[in-house]
Amino acid sequence: MADSIPLNPVRKNSRKTAYYNAGRPARYVDGRILNLNTVLYQQFKFFLNLYFLVVACSQFVPSLKIGYLYTYWAPLGFVLAVTMVREAVDEVRRCRRDKEMNSQLYSKLTVRVRKAHLIPADMILLRTSEKTGSCFIRTDQLDGETDWKLRIAVACTQRLPALGDLFSISAYVYAQKPELDIHSFEGNFTWEDCDPPIHESLSIENTLWASTVVASGTVIGVVIYTGKEMRSVLNTSQSKNKVGLLDLELNRLTKALFLAQVVLSVVMVALQGFLGPWFRNLFRFVVLFSYIIPISLRVNLDMGKSAYGWMIMRDENIPGTVVRTSTIPEELGRLVYLLTDKTGTLTQNEMVFKRLHLGTVSYGTDTMDEIQSHIIQSYAQVSTPSRKPQPPAPKVRKSVSSRIHEAVKAIALCHNVTPVYESRVNGVSTEPESTEADQDFSDDNRTYQASSPDEVALVRWTESVGLTLVNRDLTSLQLKTPAGHILTYYILQIFPFTSESKRMGIIVREEATGDITFYMKGADVAMASIVQYNDWLEEECGNMAREGLRTLVVAKKSLTEEQYQDFESRYNQAKLSIHDRALKVAAVVESLEREMELLCLTGVEDQLQADVRPTLELLRNAGIKIWMLTGDKLETATCIAKSSHLVSRNQNIHVFRPVSNRGEAHLELNSFRRKHDCALVISGDSLEVCLRYYEHEFVELACQCPAVVCCRCSPTQKAQIVRLLQQHTDNRTCAIGDGGNDVSMIQAADCGIGIEGKEGKQASLAADFSITQFKHIGRLLMVHGRNSYKRSAALGQFVMHRGMIISTMQAVFSSIFYFASVPLYQGFLMVGYATIYTMFPVFSLVLDQDVKPEMALLYPELYKDLTKGRSLSFKTFLIWVLISVYQGGILMYGALVLFDQEFVHVVAISFTALILTELLMVALMVRTWHWLMVVAELISLGCYLASLAFLNEYFDLSFIMTRVFLWKVCVITLVSCLPLYIIKYLKRKFSPPSYSKLSS
């Protein structure tokens, strides 16, 4: 239900931060407490860590104890410590940011917010320091739009003589119940202790939503929504914890290893004949073979992910790139679908006026000088007008000059643009907040602020042809003619643009003549039924859209004083309605929107981002299917898709006809099914109908298209499309955008990329990866994504090989010695094997690369191979299993056969050969040597040799120094590694991989 909020600050909590603290989402308060549980859950939901936790706990049972406790708990603790330290670093950063946000102080009056400060809660604007009673706010962190928004104070409180008078009045605000829509609000302000009571309607123009920033002046407001009721919180979706496909694949492989471990343990117990407490022996064998599942796998992969993120952010070719989610860099190398926004992503969100069409004549960029000459001529002929009403002139065909004059004047008046002048202090520009005496009103010092870049482009164009907007406040605006004369127009009413009406209007009274005129502009679909009959509008709108232009239809209607007074009375009454206010207000406005005179059709163009065409070509050649999701009209979206080369010029396009029911959708889908290898263009409304009745069929057909364009798409629909692809395909999705309306899509995708653009940082902050330009996505995917996936696949499999080989040796040892559950290696040997002896060489695989970055960009087809997942599959896993079994068997049997007279030294012999084999296997896997790899190999070998002198418990130093020991260890190592080198050489010679062909 709606609430009435008393306006008496004395009765409210007088703490400065009362409203602010109440208005923050709960995560700012208890995020640090809950995060520890979240980290532990995220770690132990993986089978690998949960398995080792159970194994480590089993060592507290004496009958199940195999070795020292630290050999099991130390690796587990180290893995968890590394992960939790990484999470702690991220949490500290969040904590600092939250503390900075939560510690801001606000003045004691209901809420006072100064310039450049964040609005703490949803408020009604009561008073502003600006004399006009208005102020500007920046909403980029709320809706992704960088243009300033105009907000208006409640008229009766703004007129109070002094600020302290707010305490002496008795008033309340009636506010509607909390809603999701950030662009609408209905309420009333009532001042009770005056005669008669004052009732003033409140709309979106009187609101200050939380997460917006005051751009001019100081504002005072009354809080109406806090906490979970605030618009910003209602529109915030909880981001999911993203897990990479590689992690899921490795998790499945560890389950397979566990199954093999259990089978091996059962075999051992069976060969014992299930004697004695065989169930206890079974569990001891499970613990004994536990190293078949490497606990170091997670920590190596996590450290590798951090290394990949560091490399991405240090890449000078993609400056400004930020890795915000460090757990999924490999996802960048597995993408099949890229879903991209249009405005601000493929285009620059910088509008340029391109065309003016008057029905019989059209003007483009090369003929704008003709319009300028007509404007100069028109205002030169205008004499000082008389305020005496003139009788209506007979209807005659207007000249081109008069039609141009009317059109340009309408465009210069019908908008929400405000000219802003920077202050100049000793020649240095400051922000626009000074007294008029300090301001410079010259043309060079003027900038325009509006809620839409289209409007700014139109006003800049009228300035270029001679009619300049020089000043605007709540009640009037001034235009400067080519001769320098100032024309003043009083603003009687203004009807803002909404996504439902798709048009905006303004009623002005000209000061010189007293004429009242209603101007309106909007989309052709909205204006076609409003303007008088014509035979050119629909055709020319289509022509302009095919050129990639955004079109606006401009119309006007002259009103008499009686007509306006009647309208104003009905309009004010409708605005005070509590129930169905929007419908009643719309009905009154629509009474004016009849038989309006069509003045012109305008076209503006959004410039393409730099290198969009080659980037999209690169992605297509890499096998990535690109879907463009935009809120623009069908024709404009289609044209941008062609001009950006998202759809090649010789490629057929199937435009999905508008459908509204099941039958129409069925027929259109059948028509689409008969076409092959053509791009699809569909509107959001038709898409919704298709998904309602034929979801599976539509997605199946759409996925076969080389490109898909969805126009008139809402943010919810964008996220829905992402989830559809995830549900109906096994492929990875990526979403990229730059505005607040792209956040849902970015968060839903397997990999979200945000662009820091003109629409603010909301998309980039919510994304997994943030870039500064769309063209950087090519290198991010082709180079870093590809390397991250191939490196992690190699690293993961080698770490598993490291565990399987030692488990094979344990199995051979136990089988020879009567299937006893006695460990081959104990204590420090097991800990050192996976850490100081082999960790650095194995981890150095994160520096390996098969081709140079330039080659990966030159041949994007190399990326296509990665989507098949061949770098890490059950086939490659089985190959590594065979390698591990072979090498483990050779090392163990070789040690027993060659040293049968010195059996007490088997441990030292086999372990030394094992370390040498692992170091040589790393060298076997490396495709491009890095100097750090050589250093890692030498350091590890040096550490092992140095530790031999201190490990007297395991090694006999006098025996190790003998020549016989050395050459026999070398023989065992050679037999375990040489065949693999030969196989690799033959395979590379007779069946080389694609990258090796390019390298040669």
Side-chain angles (χ1 to χ4, degrees), residues 4-7 126 154 156-157 169-174 187-194 196-202 576 578:
S4 295
I5 301 165
L7 181 63
L126 298 179
V154 176
C156 57
T157 53
I169 68 172
S170 176
Y172 65 87
V173 172
Y174 180 89
N188 287 332
F189 181 91
T190 303
W191 186 350
E192 293 181 306
D193 58 345
C194 64
I198 296 177
H199 300 280
E200 191 170 335
S201 67
L202 302 175
L576 290 174
I578 294 176

Side-chain angles (χ1 to χ4, degrees), residues 198-483:
I198 296 177
H199 300 280
E200 191 170 335
S201 67
L202 302 175
S203 67
I204 187 65
E205 294 181 337
N206 306 112
T207 62
L208 302 170
W209 296 145
S211 298
T212 61
V213 178
V214 178
S216 64
T218 300
V219 300
I220 295 171
V222 58
V223 173
I224 54 173
Y225 307 123
T226 61
K228 295 180 180 179
E229 295 181 347
M230 295 192 302
R231 292 294 203 270
S232 57
V233 178
L234 289 173
N235 281 276
T236 300
S237 59
Q238 291 295 329
S239 59
K240 62 180 181 180
N241 283 315
K242 297 185 179 181
V243 179
L245 182 59
L246 183 84
D247 293 321
L248 298 177
E249 292 170 341
L250 288 171
N251 200 45
R252 287 195 292 267
L253 292 181
T254 55
K255 293 177 182 178
L257 287 174
F258 174 71
L259 181 61
Q261 176 187 357
V262 173
V263 170
L264 183 60
S265 301
V266 171
V267 169
M268 289 293 179
V269 174
L271 292 174
Q272 283 181 337
F274 293 101
L275 299 175
W278 67 268
F279 192 83
R280 185 190 66 184
N281 291 339
L282 175 64
F283 199 92
R284 284 175 61 87
F285 273 116
V286 170
V287 176
L288 194 64
F289 296 137
S290 62
Y291 279 91
I292 199 173
I293 303 177
I295 191 172
S296 59
L297 178 61
R298 290 299 314 168
V299 70
N300 275 277
L301 289 175
D302 286 347
M303 292 171 62
K305 294 172 190 289
S306 299
Y308 306 146
W310 183 82
M311 295 174 190
I312 291 172
M313 291 190 287
R314 288 293 299 270
D315 191 343
E316 296 179 353
N317 294 291
I318 48 175
T321 301
V322 179
V323 178
R324 302 193 188 279
T325 303
S326 60
T327 57
I328 56 171
E330 302 91 355
E331 292 293 273
L332 295 171
R334 308 286 298 275
L335 302 178
V336 176
Y337 291 99
L338 176 67
L339 300 101
T340 175
D341 179 39
K342 182 183 76 67
T343 306
T345 304
L346 299 181
T347 61
Q348 297 180 18
N349 201 19
E350 287 186 359
M351 303 299 174
V352 178
F353 191 94
K354 288 289 186 179
R355 191 172 299 280
L356 178 72
H357 204 292
L358 301 177
T360 57
V361 60
S362 177
Y363 295 92
T365 53
D366 53 342
T367 55
M368 292 300 175
D369 54 339
E370 295 183 25
I371 296 180
Q372 186 176 17
S373 62
H374 280 298
I375 294 297
I376 294 174
Q377 181 182 359
S378 296
Y379 282 100
Q381 294 174 353
V382 175
S383 58
T384 304
S386 170
R387 293 187 61 89
K388 183 179 179 181
Q390 300 293 328
K395 291 187 177 180
V396 295
R397 187 175 181 85
K398 294 182 179 179
S399 66
V400 173
S401 180
S402 63
R403 291 166 63 195
I404 290 176
H405 173 235
E406 284 293 330
V408 173
K409 184 171 73 171
I411 296 172
L413 290 172
C414 186
H415 52 72
N416 64 357
V417 181
T418 302
V420 177
Y421 297 88
E422 292 184 346
S423 304
R424 298 274 175 177
V425 180
N426 297 326
V428 179
S429 67
T430 61
E431 293 192 56
E433 186 191 11
S434 287
T435 61
E436 293 188 6
D438 297 328
Q439 293 184 351
D440 178 8
F441 289 97
S442 65
D443 291 346
D444 294 337
N445 196 38
R446 180 173 52 249
T447 58
Y448 295 111
Q449 292 295 341
S451 58
S452 168
D454 301 58
E455 300 235 288
V456 174
L458 293 173
V459 173
R460 283 178 179 164
W461 175 75
T462 62
E463 178 184 0
S464 69
V465 296
L467 200 56
T468 305
L469 176 68
V470 293
N471 193 25
R472 179 179 185 148
D473 55 31
L474 295 180
T475 59
S476 66
L477 55 81
Q478 284 79 38
L479 302 179
K480 185 171 69 173
T481 67

Side-chain angles (χ1 to χ4, degrees), residues 145 149 151 181-186 203-205 416 451-452 455 494-505 520-527 530 552 571 581-583 585-587 589-590 593 631 712:
E145 298 178 359
K149 305 294 193 304
R151 290 296 181 261
D181 191 359
I182 62 174
H183 301 294
S184 67
F185 173 77
E186 292 181 3
S203 67
I204 187 65
E205 294 181 337
N416 64 357
S451 58
S452 168
E455 300 235 288
I494 187 165
F495 315 110
F497 177 89
T498 64
S499 56
E500 291 78 20
S501 68
K502 296 182 174 61
R503 57 189 181 271
M504 70 87 58
M520 178 163 281
K521 70 178 180 189
D524 56 296
V525 292
M527 298 292 291
I530 293 176
L552 279 175
Y571 185 67
R581 175 187 296 181
L583 294 176
V585 169
V589 176
E590 285 176 6
E593 300 172 344
R712 297 298 191 194

